[in-house]
């Protein structure tokens, strides 16, 4: 296949994925009374915002963005979150895991790099119930992790916010069933069929700005169990450990306590695309929270996680 043919293939492939996602956004607007877009400041949720803009143009995005703030976020992602919401004119709702802990609704994890990933499900479910959302749109993709590979586009959650992979509705052709009982809601994943490479190529095509930490930069990190964790107030050095300055970037954004960096010189989207094409480890291979057990993600999803 010539470079020209490959370029044409990529454009048509991305156009199909974009059209599918836009269709799902419009189905959400048609079937649900009060949707919300879950926004983390990561590349997938950033793509969702662009897709939502396209789905409802020339009107503004007809639902708010909601961020579940763990308090362990990278400062760069919080800064980007606030600037993007302002730029697109969307309402930004923030719910804090720290408030959940202070209210006695969750207990802070102990240890040298404590994760708040599990307890942010409580904050999310509280926010959904408090504000009466009946559909929460997220950026999960099936290629990320085996539990997410089981998801439908419209993922039913029961009255407790729990996910049961055996209790999902069939999705034949492009028909999506949003029927629910009182107190239930749906998670909706418009980019389920996208891969990490698709996301990066779409970002390149759309020329979407990103948080700076996706690109190569110098940062102090500690090598813990093969993961490069950034220096922060949330991490306690173990005996024999020390921070070392390295040239790194992030493939995925999560808590500073559990998101590992990769050593990289990639400082442009084109560089990142080349790097992803040759990678032999998945983007979530550097997430400590996914390594706690074989079913770590599925266990969190059953409890209400994204």
């Amino acid at each position: 296949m010539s470079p020209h043919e490959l370029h044409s293939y990529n454009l048509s492939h991305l156009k199909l994925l974009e059209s599918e996602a836009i269709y799902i956004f419009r189905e959400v607007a048609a079937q649900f009374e009060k949707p919300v877009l879950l926004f983390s400041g990561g590349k997938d949720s950033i793509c969702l915002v662009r897709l939502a803009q396209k789905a409802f143009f020339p009107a503004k995005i007809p639902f708010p963005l909601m961020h579940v703030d763990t308090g362990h976020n990278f400062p760069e992602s919080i800064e980007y979150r606030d600037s993007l919401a302002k730029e697109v004119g969307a309402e930004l709702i923030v719910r804090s895991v720290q408030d959940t802990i202070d209210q006695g609704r969750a207990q802070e994890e102990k240890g040298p790099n404590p994760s708040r990933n599990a307890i942010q499900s409580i904050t999310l479910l509280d926010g959904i119930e408090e504000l009466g959302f009946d559909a929460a749109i997220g950026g999960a993709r099936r290629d990320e992790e085996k539990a997410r590979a089981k998801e439908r586009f419209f993922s039913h959650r029961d009255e407790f916010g729990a996910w049961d992979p055996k209790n999902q509705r069939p999705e034949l052709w492009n028909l999506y069933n949003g029927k629910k009982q009182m107190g239930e809601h749906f998670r909706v994943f418009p980019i389920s069929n996208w891969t990490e490479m698709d996301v990066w190529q779409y970002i390149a095509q759309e020329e979407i700005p990103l948080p700076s930490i996706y690109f190569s930069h110098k940062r102090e990190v500690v090598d813990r169990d093969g993961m490069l964790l950034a220096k922060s107030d949330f991490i306690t050095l173990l005996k024999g450990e020390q921070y070392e300055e390295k040239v790194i970037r992030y493939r995925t954004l999560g808590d500073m306590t559990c998101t590992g960096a990769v050593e990289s010189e990639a400082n442009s989207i084109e560089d990142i695309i080349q790097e992803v094409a040759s990678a032999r480890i998945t983007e979530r291979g550097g997430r400590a929270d996914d390594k706690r057990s074989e079913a770590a993600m599925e266990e969190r999803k059953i409890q209400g996680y994204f």
Side-chain angles (χ1 to χ4, degrees), residues 240-289:
E241 288 184 335
Q242 63 181 8
Y243 288 112
E244 180 181 358
E245 185 175 84
K246 291 182 179 289
V247 178
I248 56 95
R249 75 173 192 88
Y250 290 88
R251 289 178 69 185
T252 178
L253 293 190
D255 276 6
M256 297 185 75
T257 59
C258 62
T259 305
V262 294
E263 293 190 72
S264 172
E265 298 286 346
N267 55 19
S268 70
I269 299 294
E270 290 72 23
D271 291 343
I272 291 173
I273 288 172
Q274 292 298 320
E275 189 174 87
V276 169
S278 61
R280 293 295 176 265
I281 299 175
T282 66
E283 63 189 298
R284 293 189 71 93
R287 292 287 290 267
D289 46 325

Side-chain angles (χ1 to χ4, degrees), residues 193-223:
N193 285 338
W194 296 41
T195 65
E196 182 187 9
M197 179 64 82
D198 294 328
V199 170
W200 283 114
Q201 290 182 331
Y202 189 72
I203 288 169
Q205 174 187 292
E206 295 292 308
E207 299 181 344
I208 302 173
L210 291 174
S212 61
I213 59 175
Y214 276 118
F215 302 99
S216 176
H217 62 285
K218 292 182 179 179
R219 189 181 291 261
E220 288 188 90
V221 296
V222 60
D223 189 334

Side-chain angles (χ1 to χ4, degrees), residues 78-265:
I78 298 298
E79 180 181 345
Y80 183 94
R81 176 200 73 186
D82 295 341
S83 64
L84 181 66
K86 184 177 180 180
E87 178 187 333
V88 303
E91 178 189 0
L92 175 64
I93 299 168
V94 179
R95 287 296 179 269
S96 169
V97 170
Q98 186 62 55
D99 289 343
T100 303
I101 294 171
D102 293 343
Q103 293 162 7
R105 302 262 300 134
Q107 187 172 355
E108 181 80 80
E109 186 177 280
K110 308 298 182 184
N113 54 312
S115 172
R116 289 182 169 183
N117 260 331
I119 60 178
Q120 67 179 311
S121 300
I122 301 171
T123 309
L124 172 62
L125 292 173
D126 285 350
I128 288 173
E129 182 178 6
E130 172 198 349
L131 299 168
F133 295 125
D134 55 359
I137 304 162
R141 308 185 324 267
R142 293 187 180 120
D143 77 318
E144 288 182 281
E145 203 275 340
K146 57 191 176 183
R148 284 181 165 167
K150 300 177 183 179
E151 287 282 16
R152 301 287 199 267
F153 282 105
F154 278 29
S155 179
H156 174 264
R157 302 298 171 108
D158 66 19
E159 65 271 24
F160 302 106
W163 173 70
D164 181 355
K166 295 180 291 185
N167 188 32
Q168 300 298 308
R169 282 76 184 276
E171 292 182 342
L172 306 176
W173 303 286
N174 59 348
L175 301 176
Y176 304 108
N177 183 355
K179 185 176 180 181
K180 58 182 175 24
Q181 302 297 323
M182 183 69 70
E184 299 175 344
H185 73 277
F186 276 78
R187 306 289 171 84
V188 181
F189 304 110
I191 60 171
S192 283
N193 285 338
W194 296 41
T195 65
E196 182 187 9
M197 179 64 82
D198 294 328
V199 170
W200 283 114
Q201 290 182 331
Y202 189 72
I203 288 169
Q205 174 187 292
E206 295 292 308
E207 299 181 344
I208 302 173
L210 291 174
S212 61
I213 59 175
Y214 276 118
F215 302 99
S216 176
H217 62 285
K218 292 182 179 179
R219 189 181 291 261
E220 288 188 90
V221 296
V222 60
D223 189 334
R224 179 169 294 169
D225 298 326
M227 287 194 308
L228 301 178
L229 298 177
K231 183 177 182 179
S232 75
D233 294 337
F234 319 120
I235 291 178
T236 303
L237 290 179
L238 302 175
K239 186 177 181 180
E241 288 184 335
Q242 63 181 8
Y243 288 112
E244 180 181 358
E245 185 175 84
K246 291 182 179 289
V247 178
I248 56 95
R249 75 173 192 88
Y250 290 88
R251 289 178 69 185
T252 178
L253 293 190
D255 276 6
M256 297 185 75
T257 59
C258 62
T259 305
V262 294
E263 293 190 72
S264 172
E265 298 286 346

